[in-house]
Amino acid sequence: MKKQNSIDLLVETLSTEFSKIKNFELTQEDPLGNKIFTFIVKHSSELNSFKNLFVHYYLPASIKSSQDFTRELKFSKYKHLINIDNEELKENYFETIRLGYVGAFHKYESYIKNITVLMNEFFSNLFENEKYLDIETYLKTNFQIELKKTITKFHTTEKINWISNCVKHYDGYPIKEPILKCFLHNDKNKKIQIEAKEFREDLEDLMKQNQLILSVLFLIGFHQYMGLNYSKIEDQLTKDKNEQDVIEIRAKLGKSIINTFNIA
């Protein structure tokens, strides 16, 4: 069977996900919608390439490097002077993965920064002459949620950020407080050791989370839009929707936003 083009697969997957977003047809008819879609495709492709670069190139290379050293050591006339165990030989492999988590978190930070700019540009145009609050301000004012501080509201970014901080500030040791539950039983005197399979799965989960974040940003924008005076948005609604419908839909959007960020 012919392997499907990875870009085609990505676009088709995103199209399916985007179609689930209420009022997505508005973005499809707007140049800004195309701009957002292009950014998502580009970012997702970069993140997928980043994952593959580590899993298929960097990590195999680090393993081969250790194997080459082991072979050289075996035939060295000075091998009796060198005492290195298998775990130490594999350290470059684990260090490569730890650095992968640092890079992955930087990519997530960049994604949040850039996607909010694009979403603000899109929604500010919908508001025309009405006052529009940028997504971060609106989210904080109406839901007491700071977007940049929602990292720990999602298991994936919480884990990636925690590992990244351990690498940057604690030389890779799992000692940053508070310690994540999944690392509570790790030896604090040994650096974090994660295999390629787990790293790959975490980056795949990060790509899914990015799509979730995109969806909730749409919800936040439409929540604010539906808060305008009914006469301002009436012509954008289907004929069977009245003012009470708008109030109910907006309330549901609010609940979805809160639930997405796991706010009690």
Side-chain angles (χ1 to χ4, degrees):
M1 180 182 292
K2 184 179 178 181
K3 183 179 179 181
Q4 185 172 4
N5 183 289
S6 61
I7 300 298
D8 291 348
L9 182 60
L10 173 63
V11 172
E12 288 165 9
T13 300
L14 287 174
S15 295
T16 299
E17 291 302 315
F18 276 34
S19 67
K20 298 175 184 177
I21 301 173
K22 184 176 178 60
N23 289 325
F24 178 65
E25 65 275 10
L26 293 175
T27 68
Q28 289 176 315
E29 295 172 356
D30 193 299
L32 279 174
N34 291 329
K35 188 175 180 181
I36 293 171
F37 187 81
T38 299
F39 168 77
I40 296 298
V41 170
K42 180 175 179 291
H43 174 82
S44 298
S45 297
E46 288 176 352
L47 190 53
N48 190 57
S49 296
F50 178 83
K51 177 197 70 177
N52 290 334
L53 185 64
F54 274 80
V55 173
H56 298 304
Y57 296 95
Y58 290 171
L59 296 179
S62 68
I63 292 174
K64 185 179 184 302
S65 176
S66 295
Q67 291 171 339
D68 290 344
F69 179 82
T70 301
R71 186 165 46 252
E72 289 285 308
L73 181 60
K74 181 179 179 180
F75 297 104
S76 172
K77 60 184 177 181
Y78 301 111
K79 64 181 180 181
H80 63 285
L81 299 176
I82 303 172
N83 183 24
I84 300 178
D85 60 29
N86 289 332
E87 187 171 308
E88 290 174 303
L89 285 171
K90 206 175 178 182
E91 173 55 22
N92 277 343
Y93 167 80
F94 290 124
E95 177 70 6
T96 301
I97 291 177
R98 290 193 294 267
L99 291 174
Y101 278 96
V102 175
F105 186 69
H106 284 317
K107 286 190 173 295
Y108 178 73
E109 288 184 306
S110 175
Y111 173 78
I112 293 297
K113 177 181 177 181
N114 288 290
I115 193 60
T116 50
V117 170
L118 290 174
M119 296 298 281
N120 283 329
E121 186 179 359
F122 170 70
F123 278 107
S124 63
N125 277 357
L126 280 185
F127 276 63
E128 296 180 343
N129 297 323
E130 299 298 319
K131 183 179 180 181
Y132 170 74
L133 291 179
D134 64 83
I135 282 174
E136 291 110 318
T137 301
Y138 185 79
L139 191 59
K140 185 175 181 180
T141 302
N142 291 271
F143 296 92
Q144 293 72 56
I145 298 172
E146 293 188 53
L147 186 59
K148 292 179 180 178
K149 294 184 179 181
T150 58
I151 294 164
T152 57
K153 299 300 180 182
F154 303 93
H155 171 73
T156 301
T157 44
E158 181 181 41
K159 178 182 179 182
I160 292 174
N161 181 47
W162 188 83
I163 293 172
S164 176
N165 282 325
C166 285
V167 173
K168 292 189 294 184
H169 305 297
Y170 302 98
D171 197 25
Y173 290 94
I175 56 177
K176 182 187 181 300
E177 297 288 348
I179 297 173
L180 294 189
K181 286 184 179 180
C182 55
F183 288 93
L184 282 175
H185 301 296
N186 278 44
D187 186 343
K188 304 302 182 293
N189 297 310
K190 289 175 60 176
K191 293 184 179 183
I192 296 170
Q193 296 183 351
I194 292 177
E195 294 289 349
K197 180 177 182 294
E198 183 176 348
F199 173 73
R200 184 187 70 245
E201 290 171 349
D202 284 338
L203 262 65
E204 288 170 353
D205 286 341
L206 181 61
M207 286 186 270
K208 293 175 184 176
Q209 183 181 317
N210 284 346
Q211 292 181 18
L212 176 62
I213 291 294
L214 175 67
S215 296
V216 78
L217 292 181
F218 269 102
L219 297 184
I220 295 166
F222 283 119
H223 186 273
Q224 182 176 182
Y225 183 68
M226 289 188 172
L228 295 176
N229 187 288
Y230 181 71
S231 62
K232 302 291 185 182
I233 63 174
E234 186 176 7
D235 60 343
Q236 296 292 331
L237 304 173
T238 55
K239 293 181 179 180
D240 60 332
K241 299 297 181 184
N242 56 40
E243 188 168 2
Q244 183 58 38
D245 291 324
V246 171
I247 294 172
E248 292 175 1
I249 292 172
R250 188 167 185 262
K252 289 179 181 179
L253 290 177
K255 288 180 180 179
S256 295
I257 293 167
I258 291 171
N259 290 337
T260 300
F261 291 112
N262 300 309
I263 305 297

